[in-house]
Amino acid sequence: MVEDELGELIHLADPPGTSGHVVLLRVLELPSPGRDFLDCEFVVETETVKGSFPVCVTSDDLDDWEEALGALAGNRFVSWLNSGRTVQLRIKPLSPGVIGVSVHDGPSSQVTVSLPLFPSAGWIDDQRGRLERVRRAFAG
């Protein structure tokens, strides 16, 4: 299964034993001939909310995610996939070790889920590694 091979482009989660908040972007399928995007889904889980949102991610989106990770490394706010064509992700550093994450499904349901996360040290490097793995598979 592709999901097992590619896993998650984005994996943001609280440490075990805490609130258990999770935001994922799972890669479901590589592009087939004639298509130039990845089939993905955002998954958001909190104590009271569990939802998923389908997303198509292009190679340009992957470039934009790389830029966003650079901004996050500089402790700056980012908005990714903000073209209006798909679900949007926003990440805002709130304080040391805390980020605010928002997933907004503007084109479809108009639902927005916002939550604080306490990602583990090195989370940005982890996201960069995930991005490189997906890029290799996308180009493959």
Side-chain angles (χ1 to χ4, degrees):
M1 174 184 249
V2 172
E3 183 179 328
D4 292 339
E5 294 170 17
L6 293 178
E8 300 148 349
L9 173 58
I10 297 173
H11 182 107
L12 302 171
D14 285 335
T18 61
S19 69
H21 294 169
V22 177
V23 174
L24 311 171
L25 181 58
R26 290 185 183 142
V27 178
L28 303 176
E29 187 177 335
L30 290 172
S32 58
R35 290 179 31 199
D36 60 351
F37 59 86
L38 298 167
D39 283 321
C40 301
E41 79 174 334
F42 270 108
V43 176
V44 179
E45 295 182 11
T46 72
E47 302 90 344
T48 57
V49 174
K50 184 173 183 177
S52 64
F53 308 91
V55 180
C56 294
V57 175
T58 67
S59 61
D60 288 343
D61 294 331
L62 296 178
D63 293 343
D64 292 345
W65 179 233
E66 182 176 21
E67 288 180 30
L69 290 171
L72 287 166
N75 206 36
R76 294 188 311 268
F77 166 84
V78 300
S79 180
W80 182 59
L81 297 176
N82 56 1
S83 67
R85 69 173 167 77
T86 191
V87 175
Q88 179 183 40
L89 175 70
R90 293 180 178 171
I91 303 174
K92 180 179 182 180
L94 299 176
S95 61
V98 184
I99 57 175
V101 179
S102 177
V103 177
H104 175 65
D105 182 21
S108 182
S109 68
Q110 297 295 308
V111 168
T112 299
V113 179
S114 298
L115 57 146
L117 283 169
F118 300 83
S120 59
W123 68 274
I124 294 173
D125 289 336
D126 177 55
Q127 303 314 303
R128 286 181 171 142
R130 292 171 183 280
L131 171 60
E132 287 310 309
R133 184 172 63 240
V134 170
R135 275 190 165 147
R136 282 192 305 269
F138 193 110

